[in-house]
Amino acid sequence: MTTTSEAERISMYLIGSACSEKIANRYAEAVNIKKPTISRNDEALWHFALRGTFNMAITDSALALLNPYHPIRHRIYLMLAILEADVAFTHKFIAREHGFFKAFVLLAYSGLVAFVQSIIGLCVLKLAFKKSIRD
Amino acid sequence: MQEFDVVVVGSGATGAIGAKTLAEKGKNVTVIDGGQTDEKYNSITPTTDWLTLRKSDENQHRYFLGDHFEGIAWKEAKVGSQLTPARNYLRARVEEYLPFQSSSLFPFESLAVGGLGGGWGLGCFMFSEAELSKCGLPYAEMLQSYQTVSDWIGISGLNDDAGVYSVGKLNRLLPPPSLEKAMQPIFKKYALKKRQLQNKGFYLGRSGIALLTEERKDRNSVRNTDMEYWNDHDRSSYRSWMTLEELNTSGKISHIKGCLVLSFEENDGKVFINALDISTNQKVVFKCNKLILCAGVLSTARIVLRSFHSYNQKIPFLCNPYSYMPTLQWNMFGKTHEDRKSGIGQAILFHDADGSQSDVAQAALFSYRQLLLFKLVKESPLGFASGRKIMQLLYPAFVVAGIHHTEERGKEKYVELLQDPNQRTGDVLAGLYKLSSDEEVKIARREALYKKALIQLGCLPLRSIRTPHGGSIHYAGTLPYSSKGELLTLKPNGKMNGTDNVWIADGSGFNYLPAKGLTFTLMANAHRVCSQINS
């Protein structure tokens, strides 16, 4: 998969929409400069994550606990920063006025989703991708 | 060989004020500095406010992330790795020309025009009489110098409950910037619980800050664009380079940029300065009548140790321990920050257990605004997608307490200069820094007290994060003040013992470091030292 195709998959995962070619190119440039290298041991896990949003979510959530500085996370992080610094996606990062109750419900729901993703991710990675989660 | 009258080495907070003091006395002043500047980002950062440019500027990725994505730090733990691209010039070429070696100490130095003053947080604090005495600084002289520097740079603040610990004694204070929404509930809670908190030694107030809230002829009042971390377009935040610019424009100084001073020698009533031209790596020699070192504590230490051929000699080093404590303020949950405010220097919480003003800790409280969310998301133990959603909800409720602790000398706090032919300068400064177990216990106890106080103020602490040693960027004490006249010490007036015409006007002489922000006191001391220098 090309780096620009990766960018689209990661964008779908992070903000639920595809990114423009401009953003994808910016991601490719960032990967080229920062070099978050996916090793041979990590290739299988990376291909697994790139298959879809759910796969990427459980992979990222599990690695956040097992190995937060994993190169796969570095790639996703680069894309997160690039999306935030783009006019088209500012609204996904700037706070909105919800009121206490609505914000609490949204927080509880997001927290529950994050928890479930972490649990599933931990099980999948520990069973199927042991080599990748070592430092 | 170029010959000068008075040479000031360094153009940071102390160098700029020292040069101005000498120039105002009619001296012929030359400033020599490392000359690094921002060639790119300041000119492309717009003058509009934070929210408008976030929603409209197609080029924001350039100054927020950097053209080489240098604004996206990943694993870097070095102090300064979180600098915005526009401030990254502060650490340009430092590894090459100011090498430092340690596994326990990670200082931040600069070769920039204006020095570390270019990234100063603007907090201004006067040391108390007891604190000045511990430092080895004379109270009456320092009071005068604090006032003079305040008049020069412009300080806003209040003489409130915390005024006695910050700038309450200054005349001609400017009014503080308006209080942001996130801080208002904290002050309300403080007003309700004042007696309880003060009985435990806690005093909350508005910070003294070097931020103009009224216009001056050459600088604007704060525009509330919420962009102080990214540019200095309105010049409301004081930066040392502004003083240099003023002195250069008026012809009161000459300025040699891009030179690293290595050492000095005295001969026949003159001082010979050995330096390295950074652009060519050629050695140059200057001659002068008087030399004032304001290069920053570690750079000054290098220059002095080389000059006295004192390799492998340990000299003391002081650095305030610094932690930060993210907290959640439930009053702000579900709300947003208001637009067009300045988040700089809104509130400060001092801890003075016995009321003697001799052992005071400080916590600067600031909200998470004019900063990008991705950096906060990285700190959570969550996948980035979930982290984004959760932090988007939470960040207006974040209040971060940056806690500084006091600092005294210790056996395992020192630096030394080691010869190293592999380095451009032929040597490397090495250091060791370790807190004693008593100090660790004191810090832990104080932070536990701060946690309780913050809870009383409606801020729930989430964790306490100790920065690497050196993270406070408050350094002092390498060449302590002493009346005994030993080498590698300073006379109380700042003159280097063992020299005829060399003075040190930065923090090298301080025998103690209060927890308060250091920069204003450094500037006042530079004024004090340079005021006394006569032809």
Short mmCIF file of all heavy atoms in Angstrom, two decimals, chain A residues 22 69 76 81-82 115-116:
data_model
loop_
_atom_site.label_atom_id
_atom_site.label_comp_id
_atom_site.label_asym_id
_atom_site.label_seq_id
_atom_site.Cartn_x
_atom_site.Cartn_y
_atom_site.Cartn_z
N LYS A 22 -3.95 16.62 -0.90
CA LYS A 22 -2.97 17.56 -0.30
C LYS A 22 -2.52 17.04 1.08
O LYS A 22 -1.34 17.01 1.41
CB LYS A 22 -3.65 18.93 -0.19
CG LYS A 22 -2.86 20.00 0.53
CD LYS A 22 -3.71 21.26 0.74
CE LYS A 22 -4.79 21.05 1.77
NZ LYS A 22 -5.53 22.26 2.16
N TYR A 69 5.16 4.16 22.21
CA TYR A 69 6.02 4.78 21.21
C TYR A 69 6.31 3.85 20.03
O TYR A 69 7.30 4.02 19.32
CB TYR A 69 7.34 5.25 21.86
CG TYR A 69 7.12 6.40 22.81
CD1 TYR A 69 7.23 6.23 24.19
CD2 TYR A 69 6.78 7.66 22.33
CE1 TYR A 69 7.01 7.28 25.06
CE2 TYR A 69 6.54 8.71 23.19
CZ TYR A 69 6.66 8.52 24.55
OH TYR A 69 6.43 9.57 25.41
N ILE A 76 0.40 7.12 13.00
CA ILE A 76 -0.97 7.62 13.25
C ILE A 76 -0.89 9.02 13.87
O ILE A 76 -1.68 9.92 13.54
CB ILE A 76 -1.74 6.64 14.16
CG1 ILE A 76 -1.82 5.26 13.51
CG2 ILE A 76 -3.15 7.17 14.44
CD1 ILE A 76 -2.40 4.17 14.42
N ALA A 81 -1.65 15.08 13.85
CA ALA A 81 -1.15 16.47 13.88
C ALA A 81 -1.44 17.17 12.56
O ALA A 81 -1.85 18.34 12.54
CB ALA A 81 0.36 16.46 14.16
N ILE A 82 -1.24 16.47 11.46
CA ILE A 82 -1.46 17.07 10.14
C ILE A 82 -2.93 17.41 9.94
O ILE A 82 -3.28 18.47 9.41
CB ILE A 82 -0.94 16.12 9.04
CG1 ILE A 82 0.59 16.09 9.07
CG2 ILE A 82 -1.45 16.51 7.66
CD1 ILE A 82 1.21 14.94 8.30
N PHE A 115 -12.49 1.87 26.17
CA PHE A 115 -12.22 0.73 27.05
C PHE A 115 -12.40 -0.59 26.30
O PHE A 115 -11.53 -1.47 26.35
CB PHE A 115 -13.15 0.80 28.27
CG PHE A 115 -13.01 -0.37 29.21
CD1 PHE A 115 -11.91 -0.48 30.04
CD2 PHE A 115 -13.98 -1.36 29.26
CE1 PHE A 115 -11.77 -1.56 30.91
CE2 PHE A 115 -13.86 -2.44 30.12
CZ PHE A 115 -12.74 -2.54 30.95
N VAL A 116 -13.50 -0.71 25.61
CA VAL A 116 -13.78 -1.95 24.88
C VAL A 116 -12.72 -2.19 23.79
O VAL A 116 -12.22 -3.30 23.63
CB VAL A 116 -15.21 -1.91 24.27
CG1 VAL A 116 -15.41 -3.04 23.29
CG2 VAL A 116 -16.26 -1.94 25.37
#
